[in-house]
Amino acid sequence: MTKITALPLTAEAFAPFGDVLTTAGEPDKIINAGFCGRYHDRANMDFGPEGRAGISLFNAVPREMPYTCDLIERHPEGSQAFIPMHENEWLIIVAEGQDDIPGPIHAFIVPPHTAVNLHRGTWHGVLTPLHAPGLFAVVDRIGTTVNLEEFGLDAPVTVDRD
Amino acid sequence: MTKITALPLTAEAFAPFGDVLTTAGEPDKIINAGFCGRYHDRANMDFGPEGRAGISLFNAVPREMPYTCDLIERHPEGSQAFIPMHENEWLIIVAEGQDDIPGPIHAFIVPPHTAVNLHRGTWHGVLTPLHAPGLFAVVDRIGTTVNLEEFGLDAPVTVDRD
């Protein structure tokens, strides 16, 4: 089985797939009479002309590595942001390309205190927390058209740490 | 000084001010080949005809109770959702009314694993985490017009537990 090494997440490495939202560096603005830093508008969201943003909560079963990935999916109609409602690292799997078949697969360990926004149409694995609770807020497209394509991998891949 | 007791947050008590987002009860949908529950589209977001949704991160200084509240604010142009990126309880302060002057003030302890969406125009206190890190993802209005009104309380109030 093909083995993929989950790499530490960086904004640069993840740029082809989406945005990394953190409080690294100085805030864009200090608000609340000096008590709060605002890191402003960090996700490139795109819900198309017919869609709108919605906030849903996802409660996923925690996984362990090595993790067998046999399903890749994408949302052609909108971006999808995953905001951890916990302080644990988690795993995100993405694939290159915009074709009907996902391209080469990559995996990243998302460090604590970090959210990720997948750009519209990015092929990705299902939500894979590594610890309980597997609780995330998800900001994605609310609309009336089908917004899910799933692609089962005939040859699953194993994702593990270095 | 007027003392206000911070009450446990319930959806019913909070309904005049906003939405409470939790995974209580059954999910609206099971996704990811059975591994994830989706609690779908739980926030009533309203960004007006000229605004759009954005995701920002807020990093606020943790406070202690008794807490002195001397500033109430509102965002006339849009709703504002606070998603804790941690598993601690936090404090939210809101005020009744839609007039230029905030009405009676209420305080709630938000339990762990719970997000809150303030309806457009709701008077509220500044973000008040009770533990470090005071890290939240905030989904609010991105636009070009002024979207903040602040109201200093000539008579501050003290918020404490029962």
Side-chain angles (χ1 to χ4, degrees):
Chain A
M1 194 181 294
T2 302
K3 183 176 169 181
I4 291 172
T5 300
L7 301 175
L9 183 72
T10 67
E12 293 70 22
F14 201 70
F17 311 108
D19 312 303
V20 176
L21 285 67
T22 75
T23 54
E26 292 300 308
D28 298 296
K29 195 175 179 183
I30 301 291
I31 60 173
N32 293 177
F35 283 90
C36 185
R38 178 175 177 125
Y39 299 77
H40 183 71
D41 194 21
R42 295 296 181 98
N44 291 292
M45 294 195 285
D46 173 7
F47 305 116
E50 303 295 325
R52 64 168 173 85
I55 304 176
S56 301
L57 301 190
F58 281 21
N59 195 10
V61 176
R63 313 304 213 285
E64 289 186 355
M65 287 192 280
Y67 168 74
T68 300
C69 173
D70 57 9
L71 179 66
I72 298 285
E73 64 179 42
R74 67 175 173 181
H75 308 294
E77 300 292 329
S79 56
Q80 187 173 44
F82 294 93
I83 300 161
M85 293 177 69
H86 56 73
E87 298 186 54
N88 299 307
E89 63 179 15
W90 49 290
L91 174 67
I92 191 159
I93 297 169
V94 289
E96 296 180 31
Q98 299 287 328
D99 297 334
D100 290 346
I101 296 177
I105 295 172
H106 301 264
F108 298 93
I109 303 289
V110 185
H113 307 149
T114 303
V116 161
N117 179 56
L118 292 174
H119 293 158
R120 180 175 174 176
T122 298
W123 286 110
H124 61 281
V126 300
L127 181 58
T128 39
L130 297 173
H131 302 271
L135 183 63
F136 293 73
V138 174
V139 182
D140 63 3
R141 180 189 190 265
I142 307 298
T144 55
T145 52
V146 174
N147 188 26
L148 173 64
E149 293 176 23
E150 292 182 323
F151 187 88
L153 299 178
D154 290 335
V157 299
T158 299
V159 177
D160 205 351
R161 294 179 188 273
D162 197 4
Chain B
M1 192 181 293
T2 302
K3 183 175 168 182
I4 291 172
T5 300
L7 300 175
L9 183 73
T10 67
E12 293 69 24
F14 202 70
F17 311 108
D19 312 304
V20 176
L21 285 65
T22 75
T23 55
E26 292 299 308
D28 298 296
K29 195 174 179 184
I30 300 291
I31 60 174
N32 293 176
F35 283 90
C36 185
R38 179 176 175 123
Y39 299 76
H40 183 72
D41 194 22
R42 294 298 180 98
N44 291 292
M45 295 195 284
D46 173 7
F47 304 114
E50 303 297 324
R52 64 168 173 85
I55 305 175
S56 301
L57 301 190
F58 281 20
N59 195 11
V61 176
R63 312 303 212 287
E64 287 187 354
M65 286 192 280
Y67 168 74
T68 300
C69 173
D70 57 9
L71 178 66
I72 298 286
E73 64 179 43
R74 67 174 173 181
H75 309 294
E77 300 292 328
S79 56
Q80 187 173 44
F82 294 93
I83 299 161
M85 293 176 68
H86 56 72
E87 297 186 55
N88 299 307
E89 64 179 14
W90 50 290
L91 173 67
I92 193 160
I93 297 169
V94 290
E96 296 180 30
Q98 298 288 327
D99 297 333
D100 291 345
I101 296 176
I105 295 172
H106 301 265
F108 298 93
I109 302 289
V110 185
H113 306 148
T114 304
V116 162
N117 179 56
L118 293 174
H119 292 160
R120 181 176 174 175
T122 298
W123 286 110
H124 61 282
V126 301
L127 181 58
T128 39
L130 297 173
H131 302 270
L135 183 64
F136 292 75
V138 174
V139 183
D140 64 2
R141 180 189 189 266
I142 306 298
T144 56
T145 52
V146 174
N147 187 26
L148 173 65
E149 292 176 23
E150 292 182 321
F151 187 88
L153 299 178
D154 290 334
V157 299
T158 299
V159 178
D160 206 352
R161 295 179 187 274
D162 198 6

